[in-house]
Amino acid sequence: MAISVRGVVARGKGEAVEVTEILVPEPGPGEALVNVQACGVCHTDLHYKMGGIGDDYPYLLGHEAAGVVEAVGDGVTDVAPGDFVILNWRAVCGQCRACKRGRPWYCFATHNATQKMTLADGTPLSPALGIGAFADKTLVASGQCTKVNPAIGAATAGLLGCGVMAGLGAAINTAGVSRGDTVAVIGCGGVGDAAVLGARLAGAKTIIAVDVDDRKLGWARDFGATHTINSRSADAVEGIRDLTDGFGADVVIDAVGRPETYTQAFNARDLAGVVVLVGVPTPEMRLELPLQEVFGRGGALKSSWYGDCLPSRDFPMLVDLHLDGRLPLEKFVSETIGLGDVEAAFHKMERGEVLRSVVLF
Ligand SMILES: NC(=O)c1ccc[n+]([C@@H]2O[C@H](COP(=O)([O-])OP(=O)(O)OC[C@H]3O[C@@H](n4cnc5c(N)ncnc54)[C@H](O)[C@@H]3O)[C@@H](O)[C@H]2O)c1
Ligand SMILES: [Zn+2]
Ligand SMILES: [Zn+2]
């Protein structure tokens, strides 16, 4: 029988989100029912609300979450009731062409979650990134649950489920930042600051944070940026070149995802450097670049989905690094809020007042 719980739903493009009753069915084969304990507010939830991802309203928002497995369906052996888990939106399926070619971090079965949750009147909900965790309970594919040490606490653990993993992985996995590299990160929200932190963990020599908001630049310094540029008052490309002996950075990470920031990233990297796009563009955006420069500069133009992570490999490892005092995940939590405060948290995000608002249940 389906259980009735509260969930945060976006009913239409740009409309304020609301807390409403939703119905969560019992887990079927291969599924897990999770008691959500914490869920961060990611910019991607705001993209869903604003129509930037798709038009499959109503959406059940929330996807940066940790909680405890309450029940599992038939055939589930990887997690059991009582396990503390981080939810992921890219469970490795083992069956798709990427998995079969030994590249599971590109698994194409991205949204292999179930879509069985509904509004009280039976209207099907589209769970954000196949998760939908701004809800007391959510139903996911069991492969979307990664068991980790509960000592980390839910608020910080949940962040590894999206933004922080995306940023850390963009620097470490996708860009392959290494000791002595020069790195610039454009856009220093939760994702960009995680990229700053990742670059620092990987041993980068120079880490240049770029944002249009001085408060964000201050926080980026706390995460390890060695230099900052406010690109509202200064030219980001010139600034990055000046700080890298005139050459440009080895790695430039665009954690905004707009044509203008991508163009800055393209122009601010050294010859044979790497650009990583981790910010999510919207459907109408177009990019124009001189093709000769694309050729002549060499290097690589990459995109990073979920930091090219493998949840089962990376989540427990990052939890251990945090518990060892080497990964200050708690600094990303600007505030903890209730389920009814998600709309207000979107506005705080738009005004640049927070890195992460985290809903606690
Ligand atoms: N690729 C992935 O797997 C993945 C995962 C999570 C989030 N994202 C995306 O990453 C992006 C950032 O997410 P977030 O949660 O950190 O958002 P956020 O709102 O917390 O941060 C965005 C930052 O960009 C800054 N900014 C905006 N316009 C800018 C400009 N023109 N130049 C420089 N800085 C600018 C803002 O001041 C803010 O600090 C979003 O597009 C989000 O959808 C991608
Ligand atoms: Zn797969
Ligand atoms: Zn996210």
Side-chain angles (χ1 to χ4, degrees), residues 42-44 47 89 162 166 186-191 211-213 216 231 255-256 261 278-280 304-306 349 356:
C42 174
H43 205 118
T44 302
H47 284 321
W89 48 263
C162 186
I186 303 177
C188 298
V191 174
D211 205 291
V212 289
D213 182 337
K216 292 297 179 66
S231 55
V256 181
T261 48
V278 59
V280 177
S304 184
W305 303 338
Y306 214 170
M349 173 178 270
R356 277 294 185 269

Side-chain angles (χ1 to χ4, degrees), residues 168-208:
L168 284 170
I172 297 173
N173 297 332
T174 313
V177 173
S178 173
R179 288 182 300 283
D181 280 353
T182 55
V183 177
V185 177
I186 303 177
C188 298
V191 174
D193 277 349
V196 167
L197 187 56
R200 182 182 174 177
L201 265 183
K205 168 179 73 174
T206 305
I207 305 172
I208 305 163

Side-chain angles (χ1 to χ4, degrees), residues 93-96 99 107-108:
C93 79
Q95 304 296 324
C96 73
C99 284
C107 178
F108 291 116

